[in-house]
Amino acid sequence: MTQVEGARWSEFAGIEPDGNYLSDDHRQQLLEEYFFQRAVQVYLQALPIVNIIGLRDGSQARWGGGYNVLPIWKQRMDSACRVPTPNADVIYAMSYLDLAADGPLVIAAPPGILGMLTDFWQHALSDVGLAGPDHGQGGQYLLVPPGYDGPPLPGGYHVLRSPTYNVFLFWRAFLTSGEEGPETATGVAALEQTVIHPLYQSNPATWKPMRFPDASGEQVDMLFPRDGGFFDLLAEFVDYEPVEAIDLRLRGMMASIGIRKGEPFEPDARHREILDAAARLAPKLAVALNTTPDSYPGRRYYTGAEKRRWLNGFPDVDENFHAGTYLSLDHQATFFTVAYSASPAMALNIIGGGAKYPSTFWDADGEYLTGAEHYRLHLPPNPPARLFWAVTLYNPVDGTMITVDGHPIPSVNSLDKRVTANPDGSYDIYTGPSKPLGAADANWIPTNPGEGFLLTLRLYGPTHTFFDQTWIPDDVERMKP
């Protein structure tokens, strides 16, 4: 019987044939261990796919599907929505397009957004908006399905050929500063200018009217499964998409656990039990990697500074996790366990553009951050963010926003005029189960005792002092209540 929570390699290492056949019991044990280990690796390597399928299925179960449906978090995304490391300090709009069902699609992107279009490996087809070819002026994008052999494509579009039929549309619009806090009306109005329609429906009267449901405050689970259901979703994807959408080596690994294109995925009860055990273990392995500072190269942002605990979200890799001579599978797995969507603007160092996300699991003493303690994060004067900065707290295991009754958005951002600066232009941001004496309400993020958290500092439009490290955030300091 294979162990439920982990591989028994140490036990099986002693099973040697010594010139004789394996016993039937040992052979069966080894075959089950082989199946288990394959399933764990398939889970970790296919995370980008099933991660985005979780988003799609959760969204479409609540708001419906179709190229014309674009849910917008019109009052900001909050902890009611279970997605990995969402950004509460911009306005989200997310949709899921199917080029097999609808053929080539035209997307009229509105001006002033920061967005992306990705395939279902979450490989960017293009940045859109401020970091894209329309440079924030708005533009016409044409999504073309894999293997397209239809009429010649017309000019006048930014043409994007997707290797998967499924495509993720992810728009972000910016908050504006209001007297009572950040406001969303201007950004929502921009997002609602999006128009999507099939290329070969030239008459606008035939287009499905765009729908922009308000997703804010909606209880919706958009996380990927952490049980054997993961493999069922993966099998559906494998059967739907073209062969070329998945590397043959990974297809071979999938085939060894019964996932093959054109064949039903029907594991028996024993193999289903092993798949379920593998799916429970695999994300824990990724969490173990993620919470180990040097688990892969270049993770520490500030190697020359004393006691700096900040991690780099894209250390020595591009947006597809290519690290020069290899694909960083460890980094890919840790990223998609607690996050989603990667684009060139996130990985490249663009002074005044894109965004950077220093994050930490630890306080200055190297202890895990916990909601039972009180902490202060000191940001030195002039935080290097041309657009805005924000501090947000997440569950360290699945990346969802922490949930505290009465506080649905566990974040502080510089667009909020109520956030108080120190006389020298620095900021102190506080976390803890109660507000420290003298701290401004807007500078405090409540936490739950008994729950750990991941803290992320977002810098939108990072300036040169971030890149030359003449500005470095302090570590998170534990303090007395």
Side-chain angles (χ1 to χ4, degrees):
M1 301 287 284
T2 197
Q3 185 174 326
V4 169
E5 290 296 337
R8 300 189 302 179
W9 60 267
S10 58
E11 177 181 335
F12 291 134
I15 300 175
E16 295 290 349
D18 293 328
N20 296 310
Y21 292 109
L22 294 168
S23 71
D24 285 346
D25 285 346
H26 285 167
R27 179 177 55 81
Q28 185 60 36
Q29 284 181 313
L30 289 167
L31 288 174
E32 289 193 349
E33 188 66 25
Y34 182 80
F35 186 92
F36 175 80
Q37 291 189 20
R38 273 289 166 86
V40 168
Q41 290 306 314
V42 167
Y43 187 108
L44 293 173
Q45 293 187 43
L47 260 176
I49 294 171
V50 186
N51 174 298
I52 203 72
I53 290 174
L55 294 178
R56 181 198 66 190
D57 291 356
S59 176
Q60 293 184 351
R62 180 64 186 84
W63 298 293
Y67 65 78
N68 62 317
V69 180
L70 180 58
I72 301 174
W73 280 260
K74 299 181 182 181
Q75 301 301 320
R76 303 164 64 183
M77 186 175 280
D78 58 37
S79 58
C81 184
R82 290 176 54 76
V83 301
T85 54
N87 186 344
D89 301 293
V90 292
I91 307 158
Y92 272 10
M94 302 194 297
S95 185
Y96 312 87
L97 309 174
D98 185 346
L99 302 179
D102 299 312
L105 288 173
V106 174
I107 301 171
I113 66 167
L114 186 64
M116 67 182 80
L117 293 160
T118 80
D119 65 19
F120 259 40
W121 271 107
Q122 302 198 51
H123 293 163
L125 303 174
S126 179
D127 281 315
V128 176
L130 297 175
D134 65 282
H135 304 295
Q137 302 305 304
Q140 301 274 331
Y141 291 79
L142 176 57
L143 284 175
V144 182
Y148 174 77
D149 59 358
L153 299 171
Y157 300 101
H158 302 294
V159 178
L160 307 175
R161 297 180 181 272
S162 176
T164 59
Y165 293 124
N166 287 279
V167 172
F168 179 43
L169 180 152
F170 185 18
W171 290 172
R172 290 161 290 180
F174 295 106
L175 302 170
T176 55
S177 294
E179 294 303 323
E180 299 301 318
E183 296 181 346
T184 62
T186 300
V188 170
L191 293 170
E192 289 183 341
Q193 295 179 44
T194 303
V195 178
I196 305 172
H197 65 85
L199 173 64
Y200 294 117
Q201 291 182 7
S202 57
N203 181 357
T206 65
W207 302 347
K208 295 178 183 178
M210 293 297 297
R211 291 175 44 214
F212 303 105
D214 185 357
S216 291
E218 296 282 350
Q219 295 283 345
V220 58
D221 189 344
M222 298 168 68
L223 295 177
F224 58 89
R226 297 181 183 230
D227 59 24
F230 181 101
F231 299 102
D232 296 293
L233 294 180
L234 180 60
E236 291 175 13
F237 178 85
V238 167
D239 210 42
Y240 192 78
E241 293 286 348
V243 170
E244 295 77 15
I246 300 175
D247 165 89
L248 287 182
R249 185 175 296 275
L250 180 54
R251 279 188 178 276
M253 295 179 68
M254 293 177 184
S256 69
I257 61 170
I259 297 176
R260 305 177 186 94
K261 184 174 177 63
E263 298 181 19
F265 177 57
E266 298 175 340
D268 61 25
R270 178 58 181 151
H271 285 104
R272 175 67 69 182
E273 179 185 4
I274 298 172
L275 289 170
D276 194 61
R280 291 201 304 273
L281 176 68
K284 294 179 182 178
L285 297 177
V287 170
L289 283 171
N290 208 18
T291 54
T292 301
D294 299 309
S295 55
Y296 43 86
R299 292 196 79 197
R300 296 175 187 259
Y301 248 124
Y302 305 109
T303 56
E306 182 182 359
K307 289 170 55 174
R308 290 295 189 269
R309 308 289 180 179
W310 297 96
L311 300 179
N312 185 346
F314 287 89
D316 303 329
V317 295
D318 65 12
E319 71 280 4
N320 294 328
F321 305 96
H322 295 152
T325 60
Y326 63 95
L327 172 64
S328 181
L329 294 174
D330 291 342
H331 188 184
Q332 177 180 273
T334 58
F335 182 89
F336 288 110
T337 299
V338 295
Y340 69 97
S341 78
S343 76
M346 297 166 68
L348 295 174
N349 294 327
I350 307 172
I351 296 177
K356 292 298 176 185
Y357 311 96
S359 300
T360 185
F361 297 96
W362 306 277
D363 66 16
D365 297 319
E367 300 294 328
Y368 287 127
L369 298 171
T370 170
E373 298 287 347
H374 292 74
Y375 301 100
R376 179 182 70 127
L377 169 62
H378 180 73
L379 301 178
N382 304 312
R386 181 178 63 84
L387 298 174
F388 70 92
W389 57 262
V391 175
T392 311
L393 307 188
Y394 297 104
N395 181 306
V397 173
D398 63 22
T400 56
M401 291 185 196
I402 67 166
T403 300
V404 178
D405 289 344
H407 299 273
I409 299 179
S411 185
V412 168
N413 72 63
S414 60
L415 295 172
D416 189 342
K417 294 180 179 179
R418 300 168 300 175
V419 174
T420 302
N422 299 320
D424 64 353
S426 65
Y427 291 86
D428 290 318
I429 308 301
Y430 300 93
T431 72
S434 60
K435 184 171 70 71
L437 185 66
D441 287 347
N443 290 51
W444 169 56
I445 306 174
T447 58
N448 290 313
E451 294 181 357
F453 62 87
L454 161 67
L455 184 148
T456 295
L457 169 63
R458 283 186 168 85
L459 302 167
Y460 269 81
T463 58
H464 69 280
T465 59
F466 173 78
F467 294 107
D468 67 16
Q469 297 193 2
T470 55
W471 186 93
I472 297 177
D474 284 13
D475 279 328
V476 179
E477 295 279 355
R478 189 181 306 174
M479 56 182 294
K480 293 183 179 179

